[in-house]
C-alpha cells in the first residue's frame, strides 16, 4: 500500500511539473507571436489579433513557473539533482559523514516544514479576503497555495530520503551526463540486449 502511494505521488509530482512547463511554454509562445503579428498592418488579420486579449498570459505564466519551481524542488530532493558542495563531507570518516548527511536531511525537513506551516497560515488568512490577481482576477490564496503544498511535499521528500539513508546507507544520485533512453537506443542499433551484452563481454 505504501509502495503504491509512493508510486502515485512520484507520477503526480512529475506530471504537475511537466504539464506546467509545457503549458507555460505554449502560452508564452502564442503570446509572443500574437504581439509580433499584431504589429503588421494586414487588413482584417490585424483587427482580429488586436481584438484578442493576451494581457493575462504573462501573469499566468509567472504563477505556473512558481508552482513548477515548488514541485520541481521536491522532485529534486527525491532524485538527488540539487546542487550540493560535498567535497569536505566526503573526506570525513564513515560514521561522521553519516551524521553530517543525516543532520542535513533533518535540517532540510525542518526548514521546509516551517515554511509550509507559515505558508499554510498565510494562505488561510488570505482565503478570508477578497484579494484577487490583477489580470486573471484569480483568488490570490490559490496562487499562494503553492507554498504550503510544495514545501510540505519537499519536507516529506527530505524525510523519505533520510529514512532510506538510515536503512540502506544510500542517497539518491543523478548522473547529469546520463540521458534516459539513449543507452537503450544505442543497444537497439547494435542489436545488443542487456542480457547478451554481458555474455559478449
Amino acid at each position: 500500500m505504501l509502495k503504491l502511494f509512493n508510486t502515485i505521488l512520484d507520477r503526480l509530482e512529475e506530471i504537475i511539473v511537466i504539464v506546467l512547463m509545457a503549458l507555460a511554454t505554449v502560452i508564452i509562445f502564442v503570446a509572443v507571436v500574437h504581439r509580433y503579428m499584431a504589429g503588421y498592418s494586414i487588413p482584417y488579420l490585424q483587427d482580429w489579433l488586436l481584438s484578442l486579449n493576451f494581457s493575462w498570459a504573462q501573469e499566468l505564466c509567472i504563477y505556473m513557473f512558481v508552482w513548477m519551481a515548488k514541485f520541481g524542488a521536491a522532485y529534486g530532493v527525491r532524485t538527488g539533482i540539487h546542487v550540493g558542495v560535498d567535497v569536505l563531507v566526503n573526506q570525513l570518516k564513515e560514521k561522521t559523514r553519516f551524521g553530517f548527511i543525516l543532520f542535513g536531511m533533518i535540517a532540510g525537513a525542518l526548514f521546509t516544514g516551517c515554511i509550509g506551516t507559515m505558508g499554510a497560515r498565510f494562505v488561510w488568512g488570505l482565503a478570508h479576503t477578497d484579494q484577487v490577481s490583477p489580470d486573471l482576477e484569480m483568488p490570490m490564496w490559490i496562487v499562494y497555495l503553492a507554498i504550503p503544498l510544495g514545501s510540505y511535499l519537499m519536507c516529506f521528500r527530505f524525510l523519505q530520503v533520510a529514512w532510506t539513508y538510515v536503512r540502506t546507507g544510500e542517497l539518491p544520485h543523478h548522473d547529469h551526463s546520463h540521458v534516459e533512453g539513449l543507452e537503450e537506443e544505442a543497444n537497439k542499433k547494435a542489436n545488443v540486449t542487456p542480457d547478451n551484452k554481458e555474455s559478449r563481454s
Side-chain angles (χ1 to χ4, degrees), residues 66-148:
V66 169
W67 276 74
M68 184 179 63
K70 291 301 294 181
F71 283 88
Y75 174 81
V77 175
R78 173 168 67 91
T79 57
I81 61 176
H82 279 298
V83 176
V85 181
D86 55 2
V87 176
L88 182 60
V89 175
N90 288 337
Q91 301 301 318
L92 299 173
K93 293 181 180 178
E94 189 174 344
K95 288 185 178 180
T96 310
R97 179 175 175 269
F98 178 87
F100 268 95
I101 292 175
L102 192 59
F103 172 77
M105 294 294 171
I106 300 300
L110 182 63
F111 175 75
T112 51
C114 289
I115 296 296
T117 302
M118 290 188 291
R121 288 180 178 177
F122 178 74
V123 168
W124 179 255
L126 201 59
H128 293 84
T129 67
D130 297 326
Q131 188 174 348
V132 295
S133 62
D135 294 321
L136 293 168
E137 297 185 356
M138 178 190 298
M140 287 303 294
W141 70 267
I142 295 177
V143 176
Y144 284 103
L145 193 61
I147 297 173

